[in-house]
Amino acid sequence: VRVRMTVAYDGSGYHGFAPNPGVSTVGGALRDAIARVVRTPLAVTCAGRTDTGVHAWGQVVSFDAPADRFDPLMLQRSVNRLCGPAIAVREVREAPPGFDARRSATGRTYRYTVVNRPVPDPFLAHLAWHVDEPLDLDLLRLACDPLIGEHDFSAFCRRPRHRDGTEASLVRTVRHASWTDLGDGVLRFEITANAFCHQMIRSVVGLLVAIGA
C-alpha cells in the first residue's frame, strides 16, 4: 500500500532531511525506523528536502509498505518510540496508489523567526535568528509585496543543473508572504509558494531584514 505520513522534527542534530551515507539525517533515521517496523527495505519520498538546522511541523512523506504489515496506529507508535522525541509522526494513513509526497504537493509554507531585541533568548536560540539592530516592521511588510506572484528567483538561490547539463528553471509562484509581530521583540515571517529553490528562503529573509534595518 502507498502510505502518507506527516512528521514533525527538530533538525538541530541532523544534517538535513535527505538520506546521506555517513551522516545522521532526518530522512535516514525515519526510513530506517519504518523499515524496521514493517520489516522490509524501503525508500521514503518527502514533500521538500530541508537543510541542516531546519525544523518541520508538517513535513509529508510517502512510501510503500507491505499490505499485510500496515497498521497505521501501530506504525505511528512504533516509529515514535524509535525516533522520538526529535522526530515525531503526527499522522499515518493509506494514500491513493499514485500519491507522491513531492509531486502531489500543491504548495509549501516556511516560517522564519527573528528575535529582534538587544539581548538574545537562549530558549529560542535554536529556533530563531537573533538580530539586535532595530527593524522597521512596516518596511518588512512592504518589502513582501514584490515577492508575490510568479517570478524568476535565480538571484536568491544556487542555480541547479539537470543531469543532461541544462539549467533548471528557478521560476516559482509565491502566493503569500507576511510578517507578524508576536510580541517581546519576536517577529515571524511566513511565506507560501508552489515550491522553493535551494536556500531561497534564507536569502529572501536576509534581504528583507536588511531592508527592515
Side-chain angles (χ1 to χ4, degrees):
V1 296
R2 181 63 51 89
V3 182
R4 172 191 171 121
M5 178 179 282
T6 303
V7 299
Y9 53 83
D10 182 330
S12 302
Y14 297 97
H15 294 267
F17 186 95
N20 191 2
V23 296
S24 179
T25 67
V26 176
L30 194 61
R31 175 201 60 201
D32 294 346
I34 297 170
R36 180 175 171 183
V37 175
V38 301
R39 302 194 301 277
T40 187
L42 51 84
V44 173
T45 300
C46 68
R49 294 184 298 176
T50 51
D51 296 328
T52 299
V54 176
H55 318 293
W57 175 246
Q59 173 71 285
V60 177
V61 302
S62 60
F63 56 91
D64 291 326
D68 60 343
R69 299 174 192 169
F70 176 58
D71 180 329
L73 186 57
M74 183 273 291
L75 181 59
Q76 180 183 22
R77 290 176 174 174
S78 298
V79 173
N80 282 340
R81 280 196 295 268
L82 292 170
C83 295
I87 301 173
V89 177
R90 297 176 52 209
E91 181 188 47
V92 179
R93 58 188 172 92
E94 184 175 347
F99 177 79
D100 180 281
R102 179 170 174 265
R103 292 178 174 82
S104 300
T106 59
R108 286 96 170 161
T109 296
Y110 274 84
R111 285 179 174 174
Y112 211 111
T113 305
V114 175
V115 174
N116 186 218
R117 58 190 187 222
V119 179
D121 187 333
F123 297 105
L124 292 177
H126 72 300
L127 297 172
W129 177 19
H130 175 233
V131 178
D132 56 5
E133 184 176 5
L135 301 177
D136 187 319
L137 186 59
D138 289 335
L139 285 179
L140 291 174
R141 287 170 169 164
L142 283 171
C144 289
D145 291 348
L147 298 172
I148 306 298
E150 184 180 81
H151 306 289
D152 184 336
F153 285 93
S154 56
F156 293 91
C157 14
R158 297 178 180 176
R159 181 171 290 279
R161 290 183 178 273
H162 295 299
R163 292 182 179 179
D164 60 5
T166 59
E167 292 188 344
S169 171
L170 295 178
V171 173
R172 301 291 187 270
T173 301
V174 173
R175 301 168 185 157
H176 169 81
S178 66
W179 285 88
T180 303
D181 185 353
L182 301 181
D184 200 24
V186 180
L187 307 176
R188 174 168 290 164
F189 175 65
E190 186 168 293
I191 183 169
T192 299
N194 62 332
F196 293 98
C197 311
H198 185 215
Q199 297 187 337
M200 173 178 161
I201 303 301
R202 64 183 66 187
S203 298
V204 166
V205 174
L207 174 63
L208 296 181
V209 166
I211 292 171

